[in-house]
Amino acid sequence: MICNEVSSQDQVIQHSGRGHSELGPSSSERWLKCTPSAVLSAQFQDKPSVYAEEGTFLHELCELKLHRYLGDMTKDVIERQYAEHRDNDFYSDEAEEVTDVYVNHCIEVIEAIRLSCPDPYIAVEHRLDFSEYVPDGFGTGDFIAIADGVIEVIDFKGGRGVRVNADHNSQLMLYGLGALLEFDPLYDIKTVRMTIVQPRLQNISSFEMNADELIRWADEYLHPRALLAQKGEGEFCAGEHCRWCKARHTCRARSEYFMQLAKRDFKQPDLLTDEEIADMLPIAEALNNWVQDLLAFATQQAVEGKQWAGYKLVAGRTVRKYTSEAEVIKACTDAGYTDIYKTTLLGVGDLEKRMGRKAFRDVLGKLVYKPEGTPTLVPMSDPRQAISTAASDFAE
């Protein structure tokens, strides 16, 4: 087998052109389960968010670090772009740490592959085409490596809100499919290994498929549903995948789904059996999320001038503030009031940023603790360790 390590064709790290198609990998969980949503959501404009901007920045930092490790960009270019990223508002010690976790994992994979193939094929931010199965389908893979019949696909997730699992993850499977279609003729791929690295949730999740199994999924499931999605056909299907749909606020199918849930025979909690309560918990959480989505959408529409029958827009409650602290100090001093200050210690996070993570750990490591959080009921799939419910434990 001919192994070949490749470098970036473009020496500038810039994710503004990092694209996905309308039926792209990142939204595939939604349009595969709810095929009409692809055409429906296309009517709505993408709204930029600070989370998306931070995600783009973190991806750029990851890419820059990998190119530095691979040595496929000149030192001058690396230093110049690193300086530009350090000036970014999203840059912090945490950004360095988060991206280091991902990059270090990629490096471990590269070094492991090199044991069997001295010069593996490695690509960073590689365009992957799967239009053979999805009309105009393509995406950008964060990292791929190929050697000895195996494709490694690694995807970086910078979020801290929702834990993402690699097991049968359609986004990763589409990346893997694109890589398989491109490289199988050259490398006789047997296995596609897909990994998600989500540092902020201490989540590294992997899943692998036989190459034939992945092609069978593409033939039997992906292709027919992609054709339906392209035409806006098929059945609407509401569920967790609605979370990021641009049409979720006004989607009738989603509204009817939750209204049907709300019509269930709700009894007083003390009259429900344990089994009924366990069944209702995920429903109650889903209903609450939908209600919050609906309220946020209606409020934003009202801010933009929409009039909702029976409702009005009012100013929220606020706290009083000084117009000028300097003038307040002078006025108090002139009036004879001197006891107007209080001294407080910087919070743990702020002090850690000021001192730097290592210095903070060396100087204050023994003086910082993390108290137990308020008991919170979550699904069993949540990765956090269960706590004891013994009364003596809580009393202590």
Side-chain angles (χ1 to χ4, degrees):
M1 184 179 78
I2 299 175
C3 295
N4 183 17
E5 188 167 301
V6 296
S7 61
S8 172
Q9 295 179 351
D10 189 347
Q11 294 254 314
V12 178
I13 305 297
Q14 186 176 13
H15 275 246
S16 58
R18 186 180 193 272
H20 289 97
S21 60
E22 193 66 44
L23 297 180
S26 60
S27 59
S28 59
E29 182 187 9
R30 170 179 53 77
W31 59 258
L32 281 171
K33 291 181 178 178
C34 181
T35 53
S37 67
V39 171
L40 183 65
S41 62
Q43 304 172 29
F44 298 83
Q45 290 184 342
D46 284 316
K47 293 185 177 180
S49 71
V50 66
Y51 304 108
E53 292 174 3
E54 183 193 34
T56 297
F57 171 79
L58 292 175
H59 271 87
E60 291 175 358
L61 200 56
C62 287
E63 183 182 356
L64 186 60
K65 290 181 176 183
L66 281 172
H67 284 307
R68 181 172 60 185
Y69 167 77
L70 294 170
D72 55 17
M73 291 174 61
T74 66
K75 184 177 179 180
D76 290 344
V77 171
I78 291 286
E79 292 304 321
R80 174 172 55 80
Q81 293 197 31
Y82 226 111
E84 292 174 358
H85 282 74
R86 279 193 292 268
D87 289 337
N88 192 291
D89 290 340
F90 291 114
Y91 182 81
S92 65
D93 288 343
E94 191 213 15
E96 286 281 7
E97 182 179 348
V98 165
T99 52
D100 277 347
V101 172
Y102 165 77
V103 172
N104 289 339
H105 183 82
C106 292
I107 291 173
E108 289 177 7
V109 170
I110 294 171
E111 295 301 327
I113 287 177
R114 282 175 174 165
L115 294 176
S116 60
C117 176
D119 298 304
Y121 189 102
I122 298 169
V124 179
E125 292 300 316
H126 187 74
R127 180 185 168 102
L128 298 166
D129 188 295
F130 42 86
S131 55
E132 181 178 336
Y133 293 94
V134 178
D136 300 319
F138 69 92
T140 304
D142 292 344
F143 173 91
I144 62 171
I146 303 171
D148 294 335
V150 177
I151 292 177
E152 294 275 2
V153 177
I154 304 178
D155 192 56
F156 171 77
K157 300 293 184 187
R160 58 167 58 89
V162 179
R163 182 183 176 88
V164 185
N165 197 298
D167 186 16
H168 287 90
N169 183 294
S170 60
Q171 180 180 8
L172 287 184
M173 291 168 71
L174 285 172
Y175 290 149
L177 178 64
L180 181 62
L181 293 173
E182 180 176 353
F183 297 107
D184 185 51
L186 298 174
Y187 298 103
D188 189 25
I189 304 301
K190 302 297 184 185
T191 303
V192 180
R193 184 176 299 118
M194 298 156 280
T195 301
I196 283 174
V197 180
Q198 192 175 15
R200 282 171 165 164
L201 291 181
Q202 295 81 49
N203 174 33
I204 297 181
S205 171
S206 294
F207 170 69
E208 65 179 52
M209 296 182 74
N210 179 280
D212 292 338
E213 184 184 359
L214 184 58
I215 292 296
R216 186 163 54 251
W217 170 79
D219 279 327
E220 298 176 0
Y221 181 76
L222 173 65
H223 185 55
R225 297 195 70 78
L227 293 179
L228 288 174
Q230 182 194 32
K231 300 174 185 177
E233 298 176 353
E235 297 292 329
F236 283 100
C237 176
E240 281 298 308
H241 51 273
C242 298
R243 181 190 298 267
W244 309 119
C245 181
K246 290 182 286 186
R248 68 186 184 279
H249 300 108
T250 54
C251 175
R252 182 173 297 279
R254 187 174 184 235
S255 174
E256 290 175 349
Y257 168 75
F258 283 109
M259 292 304 290
Q260 287 300 317
L261 290 182
K263 289 179 180 178
R264 292 186 58 163
D265 183 20
F266 286 101
K267 304 175 184 177
Q268 291 296 320
D270 56 354
L271 299 179
L272 292 169
T273 66
D274 291 348
E275 290 75 15
E276 287 173 324
I277 292 176
D279 287 342
M280 293 305 302
L281 284 174
I283 296 174
E285 183 179 5
L287 279 169
N288 180 63
N289 291 338
W290 174 64
V291 169
Q292 295 306 315
D293 263 353
L294 190 64
L295 289 173
F297 174 76
T299 301
Q300 182 58 41
Q301 290 291 297
V303 170
E304 296 174 4
K306 175 78 174 180
Q307 297 290 324
W308 297 105
Y311 286 84
K312 62 183 178 181
L313 199 64
V314 299
R317 295 182 178 180
T318 60
V319 297
R320 296 174 296 171
K321 296 184 178 181
Y322 297 124
T323 56
S324 168
E325 288 193 4
E327 292 181 8
V328 169
I329 292 171
K330 183 179 183 304
C332 288
T333 303
D334 291 345
Y337 294 97
T338 57
D339 188 18
I340 59 174
Y341 299 97
K342 67 178 181 180
T343 302
T344 59
L345 185 64
L346 287 176
V348 173
D350 290 334
L351 193 52
E352 185 178 45
K353 289 180 181 178
R354 177 167 297 185
M355 297 173 67
R357 188 175 297 275
K358 184 179 184 305
F360 179 86
R361 185 168 56 247
D362 293 342
V363 176
L364 300 176
K366 296 181 180 180
L367 300 175
V368 174
Y369 78 102
K370 190 172 184 180
E372 289 292 331
T374 302
T376 303
L377 196 62
V378 298
M380 290 298 292
S381 57
D382 191 286
R384 287 171 291 184
Q385 183 178 358
I387 61 175
S388 171
T389 57
S392 59
D393 290 348
F394 282 103
E396 181 181 352

